[in-house]
């Protein structure tokens, strides 16, 4: 029981720390998908379509990382015969996905009078999703 509480506490602390650092690092993250769109898209509409496709791709990748991480947490919780950590992990993923959407929407609304506001939203989603995937990769390697 103590180990389970420790595991839940560690997950909670980790998510709190990484969420804060994710906001600070958003501007500094470069992704090949964004660079690819920048290079090949000289027209605004083509650039927007490219970013839309990039968002879909990183969301699929994130889902894969979340499922892989969930499987590892599930294996741990089965050994402990307690599903609380798995429940909390799934809840954390749900809330992190909501955070990404809300954070990027807030950027869109603060810049909505600018022509590139929608693209800023897309770039934000790509970068925030990449940050989340890096966090999950770190977690998987720690288990």
């Amino acid at each position: 029981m103590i180990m389970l509480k420790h595991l839940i506490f560690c997950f909670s602390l980790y998510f709190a720390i990484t969420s804060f650092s994710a906001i600070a690092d958003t501007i500094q993250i470069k992704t090949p998908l964004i660079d690819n769109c920048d290079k090949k898209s000289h027209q605004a509409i083509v650039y927007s379509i490219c970013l839309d496709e990039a968002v879909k791709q990183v969301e699929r990748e994130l889902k894969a990382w979340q499922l892989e991480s969930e499987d590892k947490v599930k294996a741990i919780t089965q050994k402990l015969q307690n599903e609380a950590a798995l429940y909390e992990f799934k809840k954390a993923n749900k809330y992190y996905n909501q955070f990404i959407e809300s954070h990027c929407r807030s950027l869109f609304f603060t810049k909505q009078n600018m022509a590139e506001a929608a693209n800023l939203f897309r770039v934000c989603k790509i970068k925030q999703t990449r940050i989340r995937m890096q966090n999950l990769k770190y977690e998987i390697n720690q288990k």
Side-chain angles (χ1 to χ4, degrees), residues 56-73:
K56 289 176 188 173
Q57 182 176 337
V58 296
E59 286 176 341
R60 283 190 301 268
E61 291 173 18
L62 176 60
K63 186 67 174 167
W65 277 105
Q66 287 174 331
L67 290 173
E68 185 176 343
S69 297
E70 191 175 301
D71 287 344
K72 292 201 177 222
V73 172

Side-chain angles (χ1 to χ4, degrees), residues 48-49 51-52 55 117-127:
S48 294
I49 291 169
L51 288 177
D52 277 338
V55 167
N119 287 339
L120 290 174
F121 170 79
R122 292 174 182 104
V123 168
C124 174
K125 270 194 99 162
I126 293 166
K127 288 181 178 183

Side-chain angles (χ1 to χ4, degrees), residues 77-118:
T77 59
Q78 285 175 342
K79 287 179 187 174
L80 298 173
Q81 296 181 345
N82 191 328
E83 299 290 314
L86 181 60
Y87 171 78
E88 291 298 324
F89 185 76
K90 287 179 179 182
K91 191 164 86 170
N93 279 329
K94 175 185 168 190
Y95 287 128
Y96 205 100
N97 291 342
Q98 290 173 347
F99 160 76
I100 292 171
E101 186 72 26
S102 295
H103 173 67
C104 295
R105 265 195 222 150
S106 71
L107 291 177
F108 170 79
F109 288 123
T110 59
K111 308 282 185 179
Q112 73 184 35
N113 59 342
M114 298 171 60
E116 67 271 1

Side-chain angles (χ1 to χ4, degrees), residues 5-20:
K5 287 181 181 179
H6 179 71
L7 183 64
I8 291 171
F9 174 75
C10 289
F11 276 127
S12 300
L13 182 62
Y14 177 75
F15 286 125
I17 292 169
T18 57
S19 295
F20 178 74

